[in-house]
Amino acid sequence: MRPKVDFLEQASRYITLGTYGVCFLVAFAAPVLGLGWRLAPFPGFLVDHTLVVNNRSGEGWNGREAGLNAPQVVTRIAGHPVATPGEFADAVQMHSIGDKISVFTRRPEGTVRLYPTIRLQAFPAQSFIELFWLPYGVGMAYFAIGLWIFLARGRDRSGRALAFFCACVSLSAALLFDVLTTHVLTAVWVSAVAFLGGALISLAMRFPVESLQIRRWPWLLSLPYAVSLTLAVWAIVSLGNTNDPWVYLAARSTAYRFTALACFVFFGVMFFRAAQGRESAIRRQARLVLVGGLFAFTPIIVWFLAPAFGVPLLFNSLLILPGLLLFPITVAVAITRYRLLEIDDLVNRAIVYGLLTAVLAGVFTAAIALSQKVFVAMTGEESDAAIVLTTLIVASVVSPVRSLLQTWVDRQFREVPTGALRSFGEQVGQFLQLNDADMLAHRLLGEAVSALGAEAGAVVRVEDGHARTVHTHGPWRGEALLSVPLASGGRSFGAVLIGPRRNGLRYRRSEAEALSEVAEKVARAMAIAELRPTQAA
């Protein structure tokens, strides 16, 4: 079973790294696809990849106002039969903005309907902000946050789970406009959505600390991902079903509901740990993340589950997407405040500044959209000049707000004037360590794992002829690639076991000799420490 677990660990790392590679490519591809599509004439409605009219809408959309809505499927455009997104785009682009075209549709029960005069228009700037720039901005914020976490602790299961979840959210948000328009990367989008639920359940198993069951049976972590993989395969296969234009909706709805279920599982686990956590720090972490998760995920949960109760809701990006940033923010605050990732203040501050920038980017985008709406209502005009003007207005308001937030962050990380007190505490701690054999062995293990760049390690003590593990550091699984004895003057206290390196390289002989030399000195100090109580008596 051990090799299988190791294989899953390695596979998880490579999959997460590969997912961020896809995110990097999407960061460039999404704007190219979106900006190129916006130049084409717009019939006033959007279709999915099977030409089923989706329920996205906006102010002034001619087609939607004429009655084109889900679940109608478009069959002819201006007299031309269409069956693919390419044919649909070609038929529309044969005309210019201002032209009127006819649209034939068919409903699932077979009813055919004609819309004889749909006027082509330019895609509204406000709709482009709401459906492209806002989701893309949220996606890039999640990309940046997740990448920070992956680089900091991508080799730990908890850090990797959070990083993978952020990558899935990034792809789901950044590719939303492509799914609605060009349909080039729809398979990537549906896969990311399908894995949201698995990643969130996996994160619940590991955050703030791994559950006892996961430590005993690490393969349990693969179960939610197996469900997500099944949903992803189902969704991708349904994309190619040309016989039934509506069949993909079942797979997509199931993925939505699985994600909603994962949110409830996550809330339940965080609530339990907030109330029953073994340590106060764990309880505080869980409470903070629970509050952030409730505010972040409740709107999207309502949208996911509403169709199941016969109340389909329109997707409002201004109401749903900006709040999603609260989740990684609260997790990152828990990380930085309670040292979950064990990184220094410089990186902590960089993460917090990045999160603040991400939040302001979401607020910035939402404010531009609202300001643009007010401007159009007052002047009746919509132009790029209006966008520039509202951008300058919002920027002038956001800048001082950002300065205030930066001041607050600086205050949080300001050094507390307790240096002398902390120095005394460190001296006391060092004295205790040098006079306690058990603490000496524990300190040696921590220093050895850190110095050698190992994933984990353990100290084995020999007492009455029996060996037992008394200390571990990191995710110890019993795999020792380097072992040195804790012995001095003919007396053996046990051994120090060091696991694989994080970079996968072998240990050099010089490193083994250095560890042996230090271990011998520690063993000598352990012998002296154990003799002192007897001498005092």
Side-chain angles (χ1 to χ4, degrees):
M1 181 64 69
R2 189 75 59 191
K4 186 175 183 179
V5 173
D6 292 342
F7 169 76
L8 291 176
E9 284 288 298
Q10 293 294 333
S12 174
R13 295 171 189 169
Y14 289 128
I15 290 173
T16 304
L17 183 60
T19 304
Y20 272 95
V22 175
C23 289
F24 181 78
L25 296 176
V26 166
F28 292 95
V32 172
L33 294 171
L35 293 172
W37 181 90
R38 193 193 174 198
L39 298 176
F42 176 53
F45 63 95
L46 296 173
V47 296
D48 289 336
H49 70 286
T50 57
L51 305 190
V52 173
V53 180
N54 63 51
N55 60 3
R56 301 299 189 278
S57 185
E59 186 175 352
W61 287 24
N62 298 326
R64 293 283 289 173
E65 292 177 352
L68 278 154
N69 52 43
Q72 300 177 70
V73 59
V74 178
T75 57
R76 298 179 71 88
I77 292 286
H80 300 278
V82 292
T84 66
E87 294 175 352
F88 180 92
D90 291 340
V92 171
Q93 293 176 15
M94 292 173 62
H95 302 79
S96 303
I97 294 175
D99 293 347
K100 294 182 179 180
I101 62 173
S102 62
V103 178
F104 276 90
T105 66
R106 175 169 56 88
R107 298 186 63 85
E109 67 274 13
T111 304
V112 176
R113 183 170 180 180
L114 168 64
Y115 298 87
T117 55
I118 301 297
R119 184 177 60 85
L120 296 177
Q121 60 184 121
F123 192 69
Q126 177 184 331
S127 297
F128 193 63
I129 292 173
E130 294 179 2
L131 293 181
F132 176 73
W133 285 120
L134 179 57
Y136 179 78
V138 171
M140 291 303 98
Y142 264 89
F143 172 62
I145 294 168
L147 188 59
W148 266 110
I149 295 170
F150 182 74
L151 293 176
R153 289 297 292 270
R155 292 186 176 275
D156 289 351
R157 287 200 291 256
S158 57
R160 194 164 58 249
L162 179 57
F164 184 73
F165 175 76
C166 288
C168 291
V169 176
S170 175
L171 292 173
S172 301
L175 289 177
L176 178 61
F177 193 72
D178 174 75
V179 173
L180 301 175
T181 57
T182 61
H183 315 293
V184 174
L185 298 173
T186 301
V188 176
W189 182 83
V190 296
S191 299
V193 170
F195 274 96
L196 285 173
L200 194 57
I201 293 176
S202 178
L203 180 60
M205 295 178 178
R206 307 172 181 183
F207 185 86
V209 293
E210 288 187 346
S211 63
L212 180 61
Q213 292 77 12
I214 296 302
R215 293 178 182 177
R216 291 180 178 177
W217 306 294
W219 56 268
L220 289 174
L221 292 169
S222 63
L223 295 182
Y225 287 122
V227 176
S228 289
L229 179 61
T230 302
L231 292 175
V233 172
W234 179 20
I236 292 174
V237 171
S238 67
L239 294 178
N241 190 331
T242 57
N243 296 324
D244 186 349
W246 301 276
V247 71
Y248 72 97
L249 293 172
R252 194 170 296 184
S253 298
T254 304
Y256 291 162
R257 293 171 187 175
F258 178 58
T259 302
L261 174 63
C263 290
F264 287 120
V265 171
F266 185 85
F267 294 155
V269 173
M270 290 302 105
F271 181 81
F272 175 80
R273 290 180 176 171
Q276 304 293 331
R278 292 172 295 177
E279 301 177 9
S280 60
I282 293 176
R283 292 194 295 271
R284 289 195 295 270
Q285 288 171 346
R287 290 167 189 165
L288 181 61
V289 173
L290 177 61
V291 172
L294 285 171
F295 279 101
F297 295 143
T298 298
I300 194 72
I301 290 174
V302 172
W303 185 77
F304 279 157
L305 296 181
F309 297 95
V311 188
L313 300 176
L314 294 179
F315 184 87
N316 190 320
S317 57
L318 290 174
L319 295 178
I320 294 176
L321 293 179
L324 290 177
L325 291 172
L326 289 174
F327 178 69
I329 288 172
T330 53
V331 173
V333 169
I335 286 170
T336 55
R337 186 168 182 176
Y338 301 111
R339 309 294 185 184
L340 183 62
L341 289 187
E342 301 174 355
I343 50 183
D344 58 28
D345 285 347
L346 179 61
V347 179
N348 285 337
R349 183 176 299 185
I351 291 178
V352 174
Y353 277 135
L355 294 173
L356 291 176
T357 303
V359 174
L360 290 174
V363 174
F364 187 82
T365 306
I368 290 176
L370 293 176
S371 300
Q372 172 74 1
K373 191 172 184 179
V374 172
F375 190 92
V376 172
M378 295 176 60
T379 65
E381 297 181 1
E382 181 180 289
S383 66
D384 292 338
I387 298 176
V388 173
L389 178 60
T390 53
T391 300
L392 292 175
I393 295 173
V394 175
S396 65
V397 176
V398 167
S399 295
V401 174
R402 188 176 188 277
S403 298
L404 291 175
L405 290 175
Q406 287 181 338
T407 302
W408 177 81
V409 172
D410 288 336
R411 190 180 302 119
Q412 303 307 309
F413 283 97
R414 185 175 56 197
E415 185 66 26
V416 180
T418 56
L421 181 60
R422 292 181 183 275
S423 177
F424 174 72
E426 292 176 359
Q427 294 175 15
V428 173
Q430 292 174 359
F431 174 80
L432 292 173
Q433 288 182 347
L434 293 175
N435 288 272
D436 187 299
D438 188 61
M439 294 183 70
L440 273 170
H442 192 191
R443 176 69 180 276
L444 171 62
L445 175 63
E447 294 292 341
V449 170
S450 176
L452 297 174
E455 292 183 354
V459 172
V460 176
R461 291 290 300 271
V462 178
E463 298 175 353
D464 300 327
H466 299 284
R468 64 186 182 90
T469 302
V470 293
H471 299 296
T472 61
H473 186 96
W476 178 250
R477 300 183 181 85
E479 182 182 2
L481 297 188
L482 178 60
S483 175
V484 298
L486 271 173
S488 176
R491 181 178 177 185
S492 176
F493 291 91
V496 179
L497 310 179
I498 305 298
R501 282 188 192 273
R502 289 180 175 174
N503 58 16
L505 300 178
R506 293 181 176 272
Y507 296 105
R508 297 189 295 269
R509 178 178 297 180
S510 59
E511 293 172 327
E513 292 175 351
L515 179 58
S516 298
E517 181 180 344
V518 176
E520 182 180 357
K521 293 179 179 179
V522 170
R524 191 184 311 160
M526 291 171 65
I528 295 174
E530 289 187 351
L531 286 175
R532 281 177 180 168
T534 303
Q535 292 174 350

